[in-house]
């Protein structure tokens, strides 16, 4: 099974700081790279996503940076807030008719007031 | 509520019993996925179904686990003769046609948390 490797496993950031979570993938059959946010006791929800023909996508305080040659993409949360405390998953869907979406192992983010 | 509905939210079973988890996808969605999340771990793909068809079950254990998505009614994930290692949160997600596969957007339910005593 294709791998999507995510780091760090956990992250503590002061309020107002920048949170950075990284993902690396192995297979070039992925053609869309989403990030999901999951709060305790809830299901994951799509936060932001990027296509590989774009190097960066920004939505409010959230930015995805994509490095196709390095097969890496990262999530940046600017001006991190306590409400951002959650678990974040990177993911990659495969470009095939019987595909599935592979998730990274998750990063537990805690924003300290 | 037009979201993905899962029930029960919490289920306790003793070893050897059967667990049945149900998932009603969002209205208009014909693709259903089941994922398992162990404590402090990520989401592991189990099975992908369309109405009356299993498309990909490569992530589902060969024994004791089965899934269906009948023409009428919810998708069901069935675990027979549960063991303690089956304790986890089971999430169902849905997408409309194949767009979810291509765009990466799945709509998740709030999960069913199975505890095996």
């Amino acid at each position: 099974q294709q791998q999507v490797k995510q780091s760090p496993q956990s992250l503590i950031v002061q309020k107002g700081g920048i949170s950075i979570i990284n993902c690396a993938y192995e297979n070039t059959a992925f053609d869309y790279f989403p990030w999901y946010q999951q709060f305790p006791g809830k299901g994951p929800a799509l936060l932001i996503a990027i296509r590989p023909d774009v190097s960066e996508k920004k939505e409010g305080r959230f930015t995805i940076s994509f490095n196709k040659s390095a097969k890496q993409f990262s999530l940046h949360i600017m001006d991190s807030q306590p409400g951002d405390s959650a678990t974040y998953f990177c993911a990659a869907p495969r470009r095939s008719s019987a595909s599935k979406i592979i998730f990274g192992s998750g990063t537990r983010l805690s924003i300290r007031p | 509520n037009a979201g993905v509905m899962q029930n029960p939210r919490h289920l306790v079973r003793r070893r050897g019993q059967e667990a049945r988890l149900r998932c009603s996808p969002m209205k208009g969605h014909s693709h259903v996925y089941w994922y398992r999340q162990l404590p402090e771990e990520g989401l592991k793909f189990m099975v992908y179904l369309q109405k009356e068809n299993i498309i990909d079950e490569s992530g589902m254990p060969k024994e004791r686990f089965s899934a269906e998505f009948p023409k009428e009614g919810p998708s069901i994930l069935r675990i027979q003769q549960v063991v303690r290692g089956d304790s986890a949160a089971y999430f169902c997600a849905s997408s409309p046609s194949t767009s979810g596969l291509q765009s990466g957007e799945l709509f998740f339910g709030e999960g069913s948390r199975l505890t095996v005593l």
Side-chain angles (χ1 to χ4, degrees):
Chain A
Q1 176 169 303
Q2 285 81 359
Q3 294 289 322
V4 177
K5 296 182 179 179
Q6 183 173 345
S7 62
Q9 188 174 3
S10 62
L11 181 63
I12 299 174
V13 175
Q14 288 293 130
K15 179 183 175 182
I18 302 173
S19 303
I20 302 174
I21 305 171
N22 301 298
C23 265
Y25 62 97
E26 297 180 350
N27 190 293
T28 56
F30 300 143
D31 61 355
Y32 198 80
F33 298 89
W35 284 91
Y36 280 76
Q37 180 186 54
Q38 183 182 28
F39 292 105
K42 301 294 185 181
L46 181 67
L47 179 66
I48 185 173
I50 193 170
R51 292 196 177 279
D53 56 352
V54 177
S55 61
E56 185 176 282
K57 181 175 181 180
K58 184 177 181 180
E59 291 184 359
R61 295 183 295 107
F62 300 90
T63 300
I64 298 180
S65 297
F66 183 76
N67 186 332
K68 189 173 183 178
S69 61
K71 296 184 181 179
Q72 295 177 345
F73 58 111
S74 60
L75 175 68
H76 292 63
I77 306 175
M78 312 299 288
D79 187 25
S80 299
Q81 299 297 311
D84 298 330
S85 297
T87 299
Y88 292 82
F89 295 95
C90 60
R94 283 209 311 242
R95 193 191 310 138
S96 70
S97 60
S99 65
K100 53 185 175 282
I101 295 176
I102 309 297
F103 286 87
S105 55
T107 297
R108 178 175 287 184
L109 174 65
S110 296
I111 306 300
R112 287 187 170 162
Chain B
N1 187 344
V4 177
M5 302 300 294
Q6 288 188 250
N7 67 83
R9 292 293 311 281
H10 300 274
L11 182 64
V12 179
R13 286 288 179 264
R14 295 190 180 278
R15 282 180 296 171
Q17 291 184 321
E18 178 179 288
R20 284 196 179 208
L21 310 178
R22 295 174 185 78
C23 169
S24 296
M26 285 183 69
K27 187 176 181 180
H29 287 193
S30 58
H31 296 230
V32 165
Y33 309 78
W34 285 93
Y35 285 82
R36 177 164 63 177
Q37 186 174 38
L38 294 170
E40 309 300 322
E41 292 191 13
L43 294 153
K44 301 297 184 185
F45 168 81
M46 298 183 73
V47 62
Y48 161 39
L49 310 103
Q50 296 178 22
K51 282 287 186 180
E52 300 185 278
N53 286 303
I54 297 176
I55 306 302
D56 183 346
E57 57 181 347
S58 59
M60 199 155 67
K62 295 287 188 291
E63 297 180 353
R64 303 189 298 107
F65 285 73
S66 62
E68 62 178 12
F69 188 17
K71 185 177 181 181
E72 301 291 337
S75 175
I76 295 175
L77 179 66
R78 181 185 180 199
I79 311 172
Q80 296 178 289
Q81 300 172 9
V82 296
V83 300
R84 287 199 175 133
D86 296 333
S87 295
Y90 292 84
F91 287 95
C92 170
S94 71
S95 71
S97 66
T98 58
S99 64
L101 304 175
Q102 296 161 1
S103 69
E105 181 166 18
L106 298 180
F107 296 83
F108 281 85
E110 296 200 331
S112 291
R113 283 153 183 82
L114 172 65
T115 301
V116 179
L117 301 177

